């Protein structure tokens, strides 16, 4: 079936007389008739629900839809995108291990890798997105456990060459994990290009209305853990905390997600509420229609902005003159997303005046939902840094992140135009 049909129907299939919409099972726990039935669940001998920190039918319904959209063997929802990226890596990486990431990733993820993982004893080497395969290969160590990238980077909207990073990762016997938040599976399905595990901040387009913070980890089921058993003892050797079972042997393609549930969810929590999983599921039902509109409107706005004399540069990979255009068409033939980055031909003060002059476009610490919003890292997320420090961090002091929502594009263009005219 096509992606739009999966958006509407995949995941939850009601039986006779059951609710058409995914029901909200707002319950912490589930009842059993005898002690042995529940004991078998704890031994992982039977599958079933017993406590919502580990599994809940509403969360599973939404996760199943996302797994179907990405073409994965399964998915697990988390309480946020941050938790998703943490779990995706920490499930196969521990103190004394090493991983490789590109540096062009969401600021929160960069901090998780560069600061928090370091404190936990996991070393991260950052390799330029445009590095050659030989340069990426040179970053590998005997204890390297994974390679990480963002399909469409936040905030720069650069396109990851998924196939290049997958080739090098697989040549070294490790999986490629990618964050697919911005394109969503409607515009890019990274597993088809060689990624093994896909993460999401569902807070963005998947929710789409800006109502629920959430995340997800999707497993493509493509990585053969047992073929690299020495690297992944957590999956490939007997687990004493579960009567000596070996995940990769007992659960096959479900091994990675089963371990993520039974270890990380058990020990760290970070599960979403059933209510939030319901909102996510509701949002995904219209994802294909919304993404089409986000892309169409964003391209119209980007074409307007690229010809404005007040605009110094604009990055939007669906613009023909963007250096990422050809790569974006390969990985995202139907369009990238609604987010673009740009800078004005002015100083910091002028950029701020422009933003303050906007009436319809709102200033928000958010991105990728139905409301058009704008953020100036130098004034907001990176406020403490000087212009020089900003440049060192790879952020142009004038960089503005503009996220095109679902309002009429002509109204957005009129608002941007009046604010530019009022500023310059
Ligand atoms: C927002 C975002 C995150 C973090 O997600 P939260 O839901 O805010 O925790 C991670 N990756 C990308 C690409 C994001 O845009």
């Amino acid at each position: 079936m096509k992606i739009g049909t999966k958006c509407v129907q995949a995941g939850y299939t009601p039986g006779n007389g059951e609710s058409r919409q995914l029901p909200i099972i707002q319950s912490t726990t589930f009842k059993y008739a005898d002690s042995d039935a529940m004991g078998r669940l704890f031994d992982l001998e039977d599958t079933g629900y017993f406590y919502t920190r580990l599994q809940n039918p509403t969360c599973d319904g939404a996760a199943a839809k996302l797994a179907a959209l990405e073409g994965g063997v399964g998915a697990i929802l988390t309480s946020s995108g941050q938790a998703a990226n943490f779990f995706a890596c920490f499930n196969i990486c521990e103190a004394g291990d090493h991983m490789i990431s590109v540096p062009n990733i969401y600021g929160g993820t960069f901090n998780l890798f560069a600061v928090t993982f370091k404190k936990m004893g996991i070393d991260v080497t950052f390799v330029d997105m445009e590095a050659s395969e030989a340069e990426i290969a040179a970053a590998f160590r005997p204890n390297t456990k994974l390679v990480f990238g963002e399909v469409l980077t936040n905030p720069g909207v650069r396109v990851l060459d998924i196939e290049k990073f997958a080739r090098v990762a697989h040549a070294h016997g490790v999986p490629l994990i990618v964050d697919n938040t911005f394109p969503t599976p409607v515009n890019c399905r990274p597993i088809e290009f060689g990624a093994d595990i896909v993460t999401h901040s569902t807070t963005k387009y998947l929710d789409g209305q800006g109502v629920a913070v959430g995340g997800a980890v999707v497993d493509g089921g493509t990585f053969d853990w047992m073929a690299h058993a020495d690297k992944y003892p957590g999956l490939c050797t007997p687990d004493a905390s579960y009567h000596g079972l070996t995940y990769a042997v007992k659960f096959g393609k479900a091994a990675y997600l089963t371990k993520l549930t039974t270890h990380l969810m058990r020990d760290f929590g970070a599960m979403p509420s059933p209510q939030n999983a319901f909102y996510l599921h509701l949002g995904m039902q219209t994802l294909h229609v919304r993404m089409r509109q986000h892309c169409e409107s964003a391209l119209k706005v980007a074409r307007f902005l690229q010809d404005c004399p007040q605009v110094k540069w604009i990055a939007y990979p669906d613009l023909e003159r963007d250096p990422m255009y050809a790569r974006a068409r390969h990985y995202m033939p139907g369009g990238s997303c609604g987010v673009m980055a740009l800078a004005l031909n002015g100083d910091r003060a002028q950029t701020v005046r422009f933003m303050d002059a906007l009436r319809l476009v709102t200033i928000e610490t958010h991105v990728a939902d139905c409301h058009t919003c704008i953020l100036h890292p130098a004034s907001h997320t990176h406020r403490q840094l000087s212009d020089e420090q900003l440049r060192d961090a790879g952020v142009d002091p004038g960089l503005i992140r503009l996220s095109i929502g679902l309002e009429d594009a002509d109204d957005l263009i009129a608002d941007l135009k009046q604010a530019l005219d009022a500023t310059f």
Side-chain angles (χ1 to χ4, degrees), residues 317-399:
D318 296 357
L319 282 175
E320 291 82 352
R321 65 169 88 147
D322 191 291
M324 290 281 161
Y325 182 76
R327 193 185 289 167
R329 297 291 68 73
H330 176 60
Y331 290 112
M332 295 168 271
S336 58
C337 72
V339 183
M340 62 194 71
L342 64 142
L344 301 181
N345 271 317
D347 56 14
R348 229 193 242 218
Q350 269 169 310
T351 301
V352 169
R353 268 213 305 285
F354 161 73
M355 291 181 58
D356 288 346
L358 291 163
R359 295 177 192 141
L360 191 56
V361 179
T362 51
I363 299 169
E364 278 174 39
T365 309
H366 200 236
V367 63
D369 75 19
C370 62
H371 311 96
T372 296
C373 59
I374 196 161
L375 183 94
H376 179 217
S379 304
H380 305 127
T381 48
H382 295 64
R383 192 182 177 82
Q384 289 78 14
L385 306 186
S386 67
D387 282 4
E388 198 188 346
Q389 287 172 315
L390 279 171
R391 285 195 194 91
D392 286 347
V395 178
D396 183 325
L399 183 143

Side-chain angles (χ1 to χ4, degrees), residues 80-82 85 106 109 150 154 179 181-182 201 203-204 213-214:
S80 68
Q82 283 299 114
N85 282 327
Y106 174 70
T109 314
E150 232 166 65
N154 178 2
D179 181 329
T181 296
F182 272 12
S201 165
T203 317
K204 316 292 166 52
V213 172

Side-chain angles (χ1 to χ4, degrees), residues 220-422:
T222 45
F223 194 79
D224 185 351
W225 305 106
M226 281 311 265
H228 308 282
D230 54 321
K231 276 198 168 75
Y232 304 103
L235 289 167
C236 303
T237 56
D239 179 357
S241 73
Y242 277 106
H243 311 303
L245 70 80
T246 301
Y247 289 89
V249 173
K250 185 160 175 73
F251 301 106
K253 288 195 179 304
Y256 174 87
L257 290 179
T258 304
K259 178 161 181 286
L260 197 154
T261 305
T262 57
H263 282 239
L264 301 185
M265 276 300 179
R266 180 194 62 187
D267 297 351
F268 291 94
M271 69 297 165
S273 70
Q275 184 76 36
N276 276 4
F278 171 80
Y279 292 136
L280 169 60
H281 184 267
L282 200 58
M284 286 191 288
Q285 288 180 167
T286 57
L287 183 64
H288 55 307
V289 183
R290 291 187 286 105
M291 288 313 290
R292 213 179 294 147
Q293 189 60 54
H294 279 293
C295 291
E296 187 187 314
S297 297
L299 184 57
K300 204 167 174 185
V301 172
R303 285 199 172 125
F304 162 75
L305 288 171
Q306 75 176 349
D307 293 329
C308 287
Q310 303 96 329
V311 173
K312 184 157 84 179
W313 58 259
I314 177 163
Y316 183 62
D318 296 357
L319 282 175
E320 291 82 352
R321 65 169 88 147
D322 191 291
M324 290 281 161
Y325 182 76
R327 193 185 289 167
R329 297 291 68 73
H330 176 60
Y331 290 112
M332 295 168 271
S336 58
C337 72
V339 183
M340 62 194 71
L342 64 142
L344 301 181
N345 271 317
D347 56 14
R348 229 193 242 218
Q350 269 169 310
T351 301
V352 169
R353 268 213 305 285
F354 161 73
M355 291 181 58
D356 288 346
L358 291 163
R359 295 177 192 141
L360 191 56
V361 179
T362 51
I363 299 169
E364 278 174 39
T365 309
H366 200 236
V367 63
D369 75 19
C370 62
H371 311 96
T372 296
C373 59
I374 196 161
L375 183 94
H376 179 217
S379 304
H380 305 127
T381 48
H382 295 64
R383 192 182 177 82
Q384 289 78 14
L385 306 186
S386 67
D387 282 4
E388 198 188 346
Q389 287 172 315
L390 279 171
R391 285 195 194 91
D392 286 347
V395 178
D396 183 325
L399 183 143
I400 297 169
R401 185 183 69 191
L402 177 62
S403 173
I404 300 301
L406 297 176
E407 305 89 341
D408 193 291
D410 291 338
D411 289 334
L412 296 171
I413 289 170
D415 189 37
L416 291 161
K417 184 170 183 336
Q418 68 77 23
L420 286 170
D421 291 346

